[in-house]
Amino acid sequence: KNEVEQSPQNLTAQEGEFITINCSYSVGISALHWLQQHPGGGIVSLFMLSSGKKKHGRLIATINIQEKHSSLHITASHPRDSAVYICAVVGGATNKLIFGTGTLLAVQP
Amino acid sequence: NAGVTQTPKFQVLKTGQSMTLQCAQDMNHNSMYWYRQDPGMGLRLIYYSASEGTTDKGEVPNGYNVSRLNKREFSLRLESAAPSQTSVYFCASTRGEGAYNEQFFGPGTRLTVL
């Protein structure tokens, strides 16, 4: 079993829909990252959080440390949001990032 | 600022050939990382360098060597390429050591070993 699990693996949405991507982890962590991988392959950091909630534009990330769960929400989705969204946690024995396999999001016009 | 740059963008090797992947950052970051990304798997850490002059193994170091040439540059070498090393390789950097810092990624190198 992977230490970081994301769901769903694939998601198709219509433009304007509210989107939720989930991340569950099985190790003790001190922080969690959300990353976006563009269709061209480039990876950018969206959020790093260790508690509560963060918001940037139409993106909201939440984390519940007790439940070992985080969610990434996208409000008023747009085709340009189409990408792979990756959850990664800071924890485990090495204190390095442990990555999930990603959620492929396609937003159709 | 260019951020994190990687060369080459694409490479095809034959089994047994060697090559070096280059990575440079212009953000004055202390820590640098090499990851590989394979279909159906999350990014996996190959090697990292917490600061200039130090390197350490990550999760999947076998078949690779690294050099932290200076604060800007961190190269990854495949001495004798194998088909199992076919992957997309990403270099990343952070201001400080460890994963509490925002990671900045290069554009990736797509390597195929025949």
Side-chain angles (χ1 to χ4, degrees), chain B residues 20-31:
Chain B
T20 299
L21 280 64
Q22 306 286 355
C23 173
Q25 52 88 13
D26 62 2
M27 296 172 285
N28 201 35
H29 283 175
N30 290 308
S31 301

Side-chain angles (χ1 to χ4, degrees), chain A residues 39-103:
Chain A
I43 301 173
V44 295
S45 178
L46 297 175
F47 295 103
M48 186 182 74
L49 63 166
S50 54
S51 65
K53 175 172 147 177
K54 286 192 175 180
K55 184 175 189 291
H56 183 199
R58 295 180 293 106
L59 301 178
I60 303 166
T62 65
I63 188 169
N64 185 319
I65 295 289
Q66 287 74 28
E67 295 187 3
K68 295 187 174 180
H69 181 268
S70 175
S71 292
L72 177 68
H73 305 286
I74 304 175
T75 62
S77 60
H78 190 276
R80 65 175 174 266
D81 297 324
S82 298
V84 175
Y85 291 85
I86 301 169
C87 170
V89 302
V90 179
T94 64
N95 203 35
K96 295 293 178 284
L97 281 176
I98 306 168
F99 293 82
T101 56
T103 293

Side-chain angles (χ1 to χ4, degrees), chain B residues 9-75:
Chain B
K9 286 189 167 51
F10 301 93
Q11 184 72 49
V12 179
L13 293 177
K14 294 182 180 177
T15 297
Q17 287 185 317
S18 63
M19 78 160 295
T20 299
L21 280 64
Q22 306 286 355
C23 173
Q25 52 88 13
D26 62 2
M27 296 172 285
N28 201 35
H29 283 175
N30 290 308
S31 301
M32 298 183 74
Y33 310 82
W34 275 105
Y35 296 98
R36 61 178 288 173
Q37 185 178 41
D38 300 295
M41 303 185 73
L43 286 150
R44 291 182 292 169
L45 183 64
I46 305 171
Y47 269 93
Y48 66 98
S49 170
S51 60
E52 186 179 354
T54 68
T55 61
D56 283 291
K57 295 178 181 179
E59 182 185 353
V60 289
N62 290 346
Y64 306 96
N65 285 301
V66 290
S67 295
R68 184 74 182 266
L69 304 169
N70 47 56
K71 192 170 186 179
R72 291 187 63 248
E73 298 172 289
F74 188 38
S75 62

Side-chain angles (χ1 to χ4, degrees), chain A residues 2 4 10 17 24 26 32 35 39 46-47 66 80 88 94 101:
Chain A
N2 292 336
V4 181
N10 296 280
E17 285 185 358
S24 297
S26 58
L32 181 144
L35 305 154
L46 297 175
F47 295 103
Q66 287 74 28
R80 65 175 174 266
T94 64
T101 56

